Amino acid sequence: KVRVKQHPTFTRQGKQIHLQLGVNVAQAILGDEIEIETLDGPVDFKLPAGTQSGQQFRLRGKGVPDLRGGERGDELVTIHVVIPKQLSQEQRNLVEQLGHSLGRDVTPQPVGTKGFFDKVKDALGV
């Protein structure tokens, strides 16, 4: 018998590798050059400006090799915007300025907005 030990950051689904990655608000808003861990080591990735929490990116060919000689799977990276729980006074002032310039309007989201795993659950009837 072979037992596969759970990895601390990656999860596997067939040939695909999944990674949950936290970024800060400024990185999500402005975009950033970040380093993403893969099975082959870190790769540089250009996080686009306006990235939304829950948005998923595909790194083609960075998943698990097919043991039968087929194509290698992909790595799916899900971005989570991490909101800080404590701010310095300077950070608080900057966020307040941003808040004033953005306004206080809220935007209802369409009912059909579902993440990747919600779509998979729906497809499987779970």
Side-chain angles (χ1 to χ4, degrees):
K1 289 185 175 184
V2 175
R3 294 181 190 252
V4 178
K5 185 178 178 183
Q6 187 173 355
H7 192 276
T9 54
F10 296 118
T11 57
R12 179 179 177 180
Q13 192 173 32
K15 295 190 306 182
Q16 292 185 340
I17 294 294
H18 296 266
L19 176 66
Q20 307 290 320
L21 188 64
V23 299
N24 68 45
V25 175
Q27 289 172 301
I29 293 172
L30 301 173
D32 197 3
E33 293 282 338
I34 61 174
E35 199 171 80
I36 295 180
E37 282 299 320
T38 71
L39 296 177
D40 302 322
V43 296
D44 292 331
F45 180 78
K46 184 171 173 54
L47 186 71
T51 296
Q52 301 296 309
S53 193
Q55 191 169 347
Q56 199 169 68
F57 296 95
R58 179 181 306 271
L59 302 178
R60 296 207 183 277
K62 294 297 182 183
V64 178
D66 188 338
L67 296 177
R68 296 182 188 102
E71 289 187 9
R72 190 169 179 174
D74 299 330
E75 181 173 333
L76 300 176
V77 180
T78 304
I79 301 297
H80 297 278
V81 179
V82 179
I83 306 297
K85 294 182 183 211
Q86 295 182 349
L87 297 172
S88 69
Q89 189 58 47
E90 178 187 9
Q91 291 168 329
R92 182 171 182 78
N93 291 340
L94 290 169
V95 172
E96 286 175 353
Q97 288 175 22
L98 177 62
H100 289 299
S101 71
L102 292 175
R104 297 185 55 127
D105 294 338
V106 295
T107 307
Q109 296 298 302
V111 175
T113 304
K114 292 186 177 185
F116 172 77
F117 291 108
D118 294 323
K119 292 176 185 176
V120 170
K121 285 180 185 177
D122 288 347
L124 297 174
V126 178

